[in-house]
Amino acid sequence: MNRGLLTHIAAAVGTPVYVYDAAVIRKTYHTLTAALGARFAHHVFYSVKANSNLALLRLLQELGAGADIVSGGELARACAAGIRPEDVVFSGVGKAAHELEAAVTAGGVLVNLESAGELEALARVVERVGCEARVGIRLNPDVSAATHGYTQTGVREAKFGVPFEELQRLGCAVYRHPQLRLTSVGMHIGSQITDPDPYRLGAERLADAVRGLREAGVDTLESVDVGGGIAIRHGEGFALDPKRFADAIAPLAEATGLDVLVEPGRCLVGNAGSLLTRVLYRKRSGGRQLAIVDGGMSDLLRPSLYQAEHPIVVVDGAEPETNGAREQVDVVGPICETGDFLGLQRSLPAAGPGALLAVLGVGAYGFTMSSNYNSRTRAAEVLVDGERWAVIRRRETYDDLMRGECPEPEWQ
Ligand SMILES: *Cc1c(COP(=O)(O)O)cnc(C)c1O
């Protein structure tokens, strides 16, 4: 996105503001689907939790994506964006009965089960409502991937999925239930995975699981779900080449003859998004140069939570008299937490109060993890499409902040 347009948007909408580039989403989507399509039949289910803005969901739906959801709220969003229930996969380790009911009554949602208890809960719902459901089972493939400990989901100790030894029993129980149809087995091994090997290993275990189920007489399988997690380089592109990802998965497609479901989140939207934030003040503290900006951990939690390093650039207002000389600065937010920073020890052109900065590669797990901590209104979101731009979520107001609260409690 060009600097002039970003400067214009920041002036018109205010800061902090998330800006997404539709062209990047389209291009990334086509790169991924071209790589997969060259190897096997596949369906893309965009992982809504990466960025759940309705305008982005609509854009991805138009590109042909379904939705991978983890809550009833995400189901409501997917439906509101025009995604058909049969193009929705419901993942997640703790689906509540009301969420299962919303999914099965919508009709056609693939429910990925993660425990025997969840099967019982789903069975109770379909029996009460009197409908049918498509079911998948999420395998815990017991593979580890070199990523942040919080984003590793496929190791044995993780809370996700069912162990290999249990999958067979659970799968047969689903198969026997007259209102449930076992169509899929899947995995999701984590996020920001740069190495294809964990996918290769996990895919082998999925192939074993499919073989075991078929030997036990299950003849309803239609797909294998390999999850998401494809890594990106913030502000650049894929950190795991989609062709290498496809190579790792292809033997699973060949061995089983099943369609492959993929659930990418971050890689589709991450590099399409920037957070624009303005420098409020400069000061020195303990020998460090600080740039205090108007966006903080309530807007972008990733640096604080995952020690994620997102590139930061000066979009507008670098001090001209310094002739582009660079300085080392900590870019910190206004929130009352020492852990509130967007980037530490960054080399930036000298930028004083009023300068506009962009934090790059924050289209995924940026806005969706934002909060109202410190009673800050959540940022606006803007979509750019070529020369055009539009606000796709207005900045919150103080009324939004206090909605639903009761200063004079109605005691029961
Ligand atoms: C979060 C999640 C994804 C997406 O992960 P990314 O790293 O954003 O690609 C896919 N599937 C499931 C089950 C998830 O929980």
Side-chain angles (χ1 to χ4, degrees), residues 47 49-50 68 70 91 138 188 190-192 227-230 263-266 365:
S47 182
K49 72 179 186 291
D68 167 49
V70 292
S91 307
R138 177 166 170 182
H188 170 66
S191 203
Q192 268 302 59
I230 301 166
E263 303 169 346
R266 185 191 317 270
Y365 307 104

Side-chain angles (χ1 to χ4, degrees), residues 149-163:
Y150 289 180
T151 56
Q152 176 156 312
T153 56
V155 288
R156 197 167 186 81
E157 310 74 46
K159 67 179 176 179
F160 299 100
V162 296

Side-chain angles (χ1 to χ4, degrees), residues 36-268:
L36 302 177
R39 302 301 306 269
F40 43 75
H42 68 276
H43 305 273
V44 174
F45 294 83
Y46 166 65
S47 182
V48 172
K49 72 179 186 291
N51 189 321
S52 57
N53 187 288
L54 293 176
L56 297 194
L57 294 182
R58 176 63 62 90
L59 175 66
L60 284 153
Q61 181 263 337
E62 285 167 1
L63 288 169
D68 167 49
I69 60 162
V70 292
S71 71
E74 288 189 350
L75 176 63
R77 284 181 173 279
C79 293
I83 296 174
R84 301 178 311 162
E86 52 267 46
D87 293 328
V88 173
V89 177
F90 193 177
S91 307
V93 67
K95 305 174 199 75
H98 68 91
E99 294 176 309
L100 290 170
E101 180 163 345
V104 300
T105 53
V109 172
L110 172 63
V111 180
N112 272 342
L113 295 180
E114 300 209 16
S115 64
E118 210 179 22
L119 170 57
E120 284 170 32
L122 180 65
R124 276 196 297 274
V125 169
V126 292
E127 286 158 20
R128 177 162 45 78
V129 176
C131 66
E132 304 194 336
R134 292 194 304 143
V135 174
I137 297 182
R138 177 166 170 182
L139 170 70
N140 179 329
D142 191 19
V143 295
S144 66
T147 179
H148 192 284
Y150 289 180
T151 56
Q152 176 156 312
T153 56
V155 288
R156 197 167 186 81
E157 310 74 46
K159 67 179 176 179
F160 299 100
V162 296
F164 191 86
E165 318 80 74
E166 265 176 49
L167 185 133
Q168 180 100 351
R169 196 160 12 102
L170 193 58
C172 290
V174 172
Y175 182 77
R176 282 193 303 268
H177 193 289
Q179 286 159 269
L180 301 178
R181 185 175 172 84
L182 181 67
T183 66
S184 177
V185 286
M187 64 177 182
H188 170 66
I189 54 182
S191 203
Q192 268 302 59
I193 297 166
T194 50
D195 176 1
D197 283 344
Y199 286 109
R200 200 182 314 280
L201 282 173
E204 282 170 12
R205 301 210 173 129
L206 276 184
D208 290 343
V210 168
R211 199 172 309 117
L213 286 168
R214 281 177 168 162
E215 278 164 11
V218 172
D219 55 5
T220 48
L221 292 175
E222 297 166 13
S223 59
V224 280
D225 181 346
V226 298
I230 301 166
I232 60 170
R233 257 179 223 103
H234 301 307
E236 293 174 45
F238 286 100
L240 169 58
D241 182 344
K243 293 203 188 83
R244 296 182 72 208
F245 172 77
D247 288 343
I249 301 303
L252 170 64
E254 283 152 21
T256 61
L258 299 172
D259 286 2
V260 175
L261 315 184
V262 288
E263 303 169 346
R266 185 191 317 270
C267 72
L268 290 179

